[in-house]
Amino acid sequence: MRKIVLMMSVSLDGFMEGPNREIDWHLVDDELHNYFNAHLRTMGAFLDGRVTYELMAEFWPTADEDASNPEPVKEFARIWREMPKIVYSRTLEQAGWNTAVVREVVPAEVAALKAQPGGDLALGGAELAAAFAAYDLIDEYWIYVHPVLLGSGKRLFPAAADRTTLRLAESRTFGNGVVLLRYERDRG
């Protein structure tokens, strides 16, 4: 069965974006981008909220056409375009680039999606992640901690009603100081 994998970057103090929605503090160099690409190309689909999808759709469809972009960026542009995508939105009418629009998170529908053959499902977007977490649908958390303190902004994990127990499956430090903490959901 496929897994739902939340992959997000956060500041050391737990914010996924700054107070003005900025993410310019993300330290994504070639090493980290190559790591992202190696894992994302094996995924079966990208699951995003509307905001994340629209941000991605602004840049990635043509990023490989810009000669000034580094090769890992060009490679991800191709991965993004070709990957099936599901965008969860109550307002988006249509989406391009191999994307289906779904109105809400329905646990039975997510379970059916997980039961299909193919690679794991990459979950993106803080609000969508909160909705998936509320239904206990996230199987793995891949949190990339960047060496910066923002002080304020949007937290990746809002206050939760219940405790969620996780098991550390992997940690890795990249040359730029970013640390991957990969946790699996402890369902035992």
Side-chain angles (χ1 to χ4, degrees):
M1 180 171 287
R2 303 195 291 184
K3 295 181 277 187
I4 302 290
V5 179
L6 173 64
M7 300 177 71
M8 291 290 289
S9 289
V10 298
S11 63
L12 183 59
D13 50 353
F15 296 102
M16 51 83 58
E17 63 184 25
N20 299 308
R21 303 198 80 164
E22 68 272 14
I23 58 170
D24 59 345
W25 48 270
H26 286 194
L27 299 174
V28 183
D29 59 7
D30 284 354
E31 177 194 18
L32 185 55
H33 217 300
N34 283 325
Y35 185 86
F36 289 162
N37 290 352
H39 291 280
L40 290 171
R41 85 168 50 88
T42 68
M43 294 291 173
F46 295 146
L47 312 178
D48 291 319
R50 181 191 54 80
V51 172
T52 300
Y53 172 79
E54 288 178 340
L55 287 172
M56 300 294 278
E58 284 179 16
F59 181 75
W60 292 109
T62 59
D64 56 338
E65 296 172 9
D66 184 342
S68 67
N69 279 333
E71 192 53 41
V73 169
K74 294 176 185 177
E75 179 184 7
F76 182 73
R78 293 184 292 273
I79 292 168
W80 187 86
R81 270 196 318 268
E82 295 170 13
M83 183 68 62
K85 291 170 277 302
I86 297 173
V87 59
Y88 288 83
S89 172
R90 291 186 178 97
T91 59
L92 193 64
E93 292 301 320
Q94 60 184 1
W97 303 288
N98 202 17
T99 304
V101 178
V102 174
R103 294 291 172 219
E104 61 186 82
V105 177
V106 177
E109 292 174 4
V110 174
L113 185 63
K114 288 174 63 173
Q116 293 176 7
D120 291 337
L121 306 165
L123 178 64
E127 291 176 24
L128 185 61
F132 271 65
Y135 290 117
D136 195 21
L137 296 172
I138 302 173
D139 299 297
E140 291 192 13
Y141 294 78
W142 296 23
I143 307 302
Y144 297 87
V145 181
H146 293 250
V148 62
L149 298 169
L150 295 180
S152 65
K154 184 174 192 168
R155 291 207 176 275
L156 174 55
F157 300 111
D162 297 315
R163 179 184 305 194
T164 301
T165 304
L166 306 171
R167 182 183 64 79
L168 182 64
E170 175 188 5
S171 64
R172 177 178 172 164
T173 303
F174 295 89
N176 61 7
V178 172
V179 175
L180 164 63
L181 299 172
R182 184 171 68 87
Y183 291 96
E184 295 175 343
R185 180 72 171 91
D186 184 0
R187 300 198 186 273

